Amino acid sequence: MKTITVDEHDIRAAVPMSEAIDAVRSGFIDLAKGEFEMPTRTALRDGQFLVMSAHHRPTSSAMIKTLSLDFGRKPAIAGTVVWSETGRLDSLVADASTVTTLRTGAAVGVATDLLAPPEAGRLTLIGAGAQAPDQVRAVHAVRPLHRLTVVDTDTQRALGLTEMLASELPGVDLRTAEDAAAAVEEAEIVCCATNATSPLFPEPALPAQVHVNAIGAYRPTMRELPDELLATSTVVIDELDAILAESGEIIHALEAGVLTKDALTELGTALTGTSANHSRRTVFKTVGVAMQDWAVARLLTDKFLD
């Protein structure tokens, strides 16, 4: 019996974003089929400590992630992802920070591939924190970019992100901005990755056709999107129970009466649906579910365990 431990370098070398997107896409489809046992995550100290678990029935495999969140430190996420499987004595322990940013990006890649116009290539990213690089990588993997605008209240942090990504985005027009409302006016895709507690931009600032991903708000007290956007868009979510418990923007819109539960479609259901019809504005709202961590951990297991 042995335990393999993999760090950020190991994970990045082993799992390219395209593979993570494919794995998470398959995971969402299995989730829609009911093939996961996946309780809503445990949140302690108002989300500063999280415990997530998932069991995949067809493979008799399970993942447990424990992490702490502190936006005043680097990295903000710290913890472990542990993989185990019936009939296998060996186990794998992975860095939770890297798995979390990778799987969150992968989910955005899946949703963007499904919902964004095929020709979309202008991305506005709001928030230049730890989640930001994988948001860009995921969108670029499914919709090759020709313009990236990074919005952050810290101009140097925005510039640092564009400089870091420059070698990965040859030929892409890289810009920074401080005004989110102005920066989304010409966007075809918007990614929100902040810890905001109020909407980042007014709904009229968006163009008539746009796809918006919102990944930052994961507690009822947090919000990135205005009610008016949710009321007038096709809204796809990761998992209903998790969203109703944790998504501040969805909870707020439901309580305001501008959105109903029936208007929410889980991503796995959308992926397996026969109709691709949706409004000119689409939103993917995710709070993150354990299946995504399981999907990346399974890739790591395939690569590092005999």
Side-chain angles (χ1 to χ4, degrees), residues 240-265:
L240 183 61
D241 288 344
I243 286 291
L244 295 180
E246 298 178 336
S247 170
E249 46 264 283
I250 298 295
I251 293 170
H252 192 277
L254 289 171
E255 291 178 346
V258 301
L259 189 68
T260 65
K261 292 181 186 178
D262 291 342
L264 304 174
T265 303

Side-chain angles (χ1 to χ4, degrees), residues 168-303:
E168 300 180 41
L169 303 171
V172 177
D173 179 7
L174 302 177
R175 307 181 180 187
T176 63
E178 295 183 15
D179 185 341
V184 301
E185 288 180 351
E186 296 184 352
E188 294 168 315
I189 302 168
V190 175
C191 286
C192 304
T194 75
N195 57 0
T197 56
S198 59
L200 298 170
F201 48 79
E203 175 269 334
L206 292 164
Q209 182 167 8
V210 66
H211 171 64
V212 179
N213 299 298
I215 67 109
Y218 65 96
R219 300 299 296 150
T221 54
M222 303 169 75
R223 290 173 66 201
E224 293 184 301
L225 305 180
D227 287 347
E228 296 81 2
L229 173 62
L230 296 170
T232 57
S233 302
T234 297
V235 181
V236 175
I237 59 173
D238 47 14
E239 197 269 335
L240 183 61
D241 288 344
I243 286 291
L244 295 180
E246 298 178 336
S247 170
E249 46 264 283
I250 298 295
I251 293 170
H252 192 277
L254 289 171
E255 291 178 346
V258 301
L259 189 68
T260 65
K261 292 181 186 178
D262 291 342
L264 304 174
T265 303
E266 291 185 340
L267 181 54
T269 300
L271 288 166
T272 57
T274 56
S275 174
N277 293 331
H278 48 72
S279 63
R280 285 171 58 79
R281 286 181 176 174
T282 56
V283 171
F284 174 56
K285 172 58 198 170
T286 174
V287 292
V289 293
M291 174 282 297
Q292 298 164 239
D293 301 291
W294 173 90
V296 173
R298 185 181 186 184
L299 286 177
L300 293 170
T301 299
D302 291 343
K303 293 172 184 288

